[in-house]
Amino acid sequence: MESSRIPGFYKLPPEERLKVIEEMTGLSGDDVAQLTAGLGVEQADRMVENVIGTFQVPLGIATNFIIDGRELAIPMATEEPSVIAAASNGARMAREGGGFVTSSTGPIMRAQIQATGIADPFAARQEILAHKDELTKMANDKDPMLVKFGGGVKDIEVYVIDSRVGPMVVTHLIVDCRDAMGANAVNTMAEALAPRIEQITGGRVYLRIISNLADLRLSRAKAVFKAEEIGGPEVVDGIIQAAALAEVDPYRAATHNKGIMNGATAVVMATGNDTRAVEAGAHSFASKSGMYKSLTRYEKNKEGDLVGTIEMPVAVGLVGGATRVHPVAKTAVKILGVKSADELSRIIASVGLAQNFAALRALASEGIQRGHMSLHAKNVAVQAGAKCDLVEIIAARMAAERRISVDRATELIKELDKS
Ligand code: MEV
C-alpha cells in the first residue's frame, strides 16, 4: 500500500475520501458498493432476533499508521467525536520512530468446565489430568476443520477452586482457535466433554463455557514517540506522570483504559467482531493482579524519547461471527488487508496504543476539550437545525466565542439567515 500519511484527508468530502481509500487499498467496485449500501434489513434479520431495522454508526478511516513496517488505513466504527482524529494523530507521531512493532501469543482461548459436589477434589483433579489424551481427542473430534488448520486443544489445566458453596474442580481446555474468535468452537468442545468429566470425577458439571479472560491470547505493540515530534521533553515527562497514576490508581486506570478501548473497540466493531468479548478480556486482564491497572506503559529511553507499550487480550476472528456476513465489516477487513485473526488482533492493540498516547499527550499539555470542541460544536449546530455550509460556519463561530449551545446556534442561524 502507498503511504497512509494522507495530508488533507480530513478536509475531503466523504465520497472523495472513499476514492482515496479505494485507490490506496485496491478495493473493487463491489467492495465499495457493499460499503455504501451497508447492512440491509433482510440480512440483519438473519443475524439476530426480532429485527425491526438497523442501527448505523459512523465509519471513518484513521490515517498515518505504520504497523510492522506496513502502511495501513484503519477502519473505525464509533459514535464518539475526536476518536478517529486522535488515533490518526497518535499514529502520525509514531511514524518518525518507525511506527508500531507488534507481537502476540497466538490465538489461544480457554473454555471452563465446572465440576461440583466432589468429596476429594484434588484426587479428581489428578484423574482428569490422567485422562488428558482421551479428553483432548474427544474435544478435537468435534472440530476436525480447526485441527486440519493447525488449531485444536493444546493443553488441559485443572484447578481446584474453593467457593462459598464448596470446592469445585474446574477444567480449562486450552484451544488454538486459528482465525476464529473461538467461542463457538470452544463451547462445543466443553459441552462435549462435560459428561465424561462427570464420569471421571463423580461430580456434577454445571458451567461449560469460554472464558473471556483471554490471557493466553495477548497482543502487544510498541512505539517510540520522538521527543521533538510530540512537543519536547516536557511533554514526554508529562505523559509519563499521567501514565504513572493509571498504574497505581483504579479511578484513573478506568478512564485511561476507556481511552484505549475508544480505539480498540472501534476497530473490533468495524470488522464485525464481538466488542463485549474484547472489552471483558481487556478489563479482566487489567485487574488480573488483584488491582485494576492500566494496559499501557510509558518510559523514557536513553535518547529522551517516549516509549509506549501495550499488552492486552484481543479475541477477534476473521471467520464466523458477523465478520463474513456484514457487508461493511467485510469491506473493512479488505481495507486492512489482514490475512489472519492474529494480525488483526495486533493491529487492534496498536490502535489502542495510538489512541491512548494521543489522549495522554493532550491531557499532559493543552487538555482534550479544545480538540473536542470543534466537532461538538458541529453536532450542536446540527441539533439547532443548521444545514449545509451553515454547520461549519456556526460551529466555527461558537468554538471561537467558546459559547457552544443550541440556544447560541439558533441565534446564529437566525442572524445568518437574515444576512
Ligand atoms: C474520552 O473518551 C477518553 C479519555 O478520557 C481518555 C483518557 O482520559 O485517557 C480522554
Side-chain angles (χ1 to χ4, degrees):
M1 191 200 275
E2 314 159 18
S3 173
S4 63
R5 175 107 186 82
I6 320 167
F9 187 69
Y10 72 100
K11 290 189 197 145
L12 299 173
E15 322 78 70
E16 295 288 320
R17 290 193 198 116
L18 181 53
K19 272 206 191 102
V20 172
I21 297 304
E22 200 181 331
E23 274 163 29
M24 211 169 132
T25 59
L27 287 183
S28 70
D30 276 356
D31 298 329
V32 172
Q34 292 214 71
L35 185 77
T36 24
L39 181 67
V41 172
E42 228 172 76
Q43 215 151 17
D45 198 31
R46 287 193 292 266
M47 288 171 73
V48 300
E49 306 74 34
N50 301 352
V51 164
I52 58 164
T54 57
F55 182 89
Q56 295 174 339
V57 173
L59 179 79
I61 293 286
T63 55
N64 301 328
F65 274 85
I66 301 176
I67 301 178
D68 296 323
R70 205 154 79 80
E71 297 275 354
L72 276 172
I74 313 271
M76 297 176 77
T78 181
E79 89 303 339
E80 185 170 332
S82 301
V83 163
I84 298 169
S88 306
N89 205 19
R92 183 173 59 76
M93 294 187 189
R95 287 179 78 85
E96 202 54 34
F100 299 83
V101 178
T102 71
S103 64
S104 73
T105 52
I108 311 279
M109 297 299 287
R110 291 174 189 268
Q112 295 184 294
I113 304 166
Q114 172 207 30
T116 64
I118 300 168
D120 50 354
F122 289 95
R125 172 178 179 271
Q126 294 206 355
E127 276 302 312
I128 296 172
L129 288 172
H131 287 80
K132 202 182 222 180
D133 291 346
E134 179 201 335
L135 293 168
T136 300
K137 184 173 176 322
M138 267 181 88
N140 281 341
D141 283 350
K142 285 279 146 196
D143 203 334
M145 278 304 265
L146 184 61
V147 176
K148 188 174 150 213
F149 286 110
V153 175
K154 296 296 161 197
D155 199 5
I156 291 180
E157 296 171 356
V158 188
Y159 299 93
V160 175
I161 297 180
D162 217 2
S163 82
R164 192 167 59 78
V165 288
M168 296 170 183
V169 181
V170 182
T171 303
H172 283 201
L173 284 183
I174 312 292
V175 184
D176 184 327
C177 298
R178 298 284 88 198
D179 285 331
M181 181 272 177
N184 276 332
V186 304
N187 291 343
T188 306
M189 290 176 173
E191 287 189 5
L193 260 49
R196 185 71 185 117
I197 300 268
E198 284 186 335
Q199 279 173 350
I200 294 170
T201 61
R204 161 111 199 247
V205 168
Y206 285 95
L207 295 177
R208 47 238 194 278
I209 187 80
I210 194 167
S211 168
N212 288 117
L213 171 48
D215 59 351
L216 298 174
R217 198 173 193 164
L218 300 178
S219 299
R220 308 184 189 100
K222 179 188 117 176
V224 176
F225 301 93
K226 300 269 182 196
E228 70 271 19
E229 278 288 310
I230 68 173
E234 263 182 38
V235 177
V236 172
D237 291 338
I239 290 174
I240 290 172
Q241 290 284 335
L245 181 60
E247 287 170 33
V248 291
D249 174 27
Y251 287 97
R252 174 55 205 157
T255 319
H256 180 105
N257 289 344
K258 190 272 183 186
I260 293 171
M261 299 317 287
N262 276 346
T265 301
V267 185
V268 175
M269 175 86 107
T271 54
N273 275 288
D274 183 339
T275 53
R276 289 81 54 216
V278 177
E279 300 267 354
H283 296 297
S284 53
F285 183 69
S287 38
K288 213 174 160 225
S289 68
M291 194 184 95
Y292 186 85
K293 292 180 179 181
S294 51
L295 295 164
T296 53
R297 291 290 178 273
Y298 291 89
E299 300 157 304
K300 186 156 51 173
N301 66 12
K302 284 202 298 289
E303 291 74 34
D305 299 323
L306 183 73
V307 185
T309 48
I310 186 167
E311 182 177 53
M312 62 183 279
V314 185
V316 290
L318 287 181
V319 295
T323 305
R324 283 275 171 93
V325 180
H326 196 297
V328 181
K330 282 200 277 190
T331 312
V333 169
K334 285 204 177 150
I335 292 174
L336 286 170
V338 284
K339 298 281 176 285
S340 69
D342 184 64
E343 192 184 353
L344 175 60
S345 72
R346 289 181 280 109
I347 290 174
I348 290 168
S350 305
V351 175
L353 178 59
Q355 198 77 52
N356 177 234
F357 161 77
L360 294 187
R361 180 174 176 271
L363 290 168
S365 46
E366 64 182 17
I368 57 158
Q369 283 312 89
R370 203 170 72 95
H372 268 301
M373 277 311 146
S374 77
L375 266 176
H376 173 57
K378 278 190 213 171
N379 281 332
V380 170
V382 171
Q383 270 177 53
K387 299 230 158 49
C388 307
D389 291 353
L390 268 193
V391 175
E392 299 280 344
I393 297 168
I394 288 173
R397 279 274 293 272
M398 290 195 298
E401 292 171 354
R402 292 181 181 262
R403 256 185 87 193
I404 301 172
S405 68
V406 174
D407 286 347
R408 180 62 186 142
T410 312
E411 274 172 28
L412 286 169
I413 293 173
K414 281 196 195 126
E415 202 178 287
L416 289 163
D417 270 350
K418 267 191 220 142
S419 61

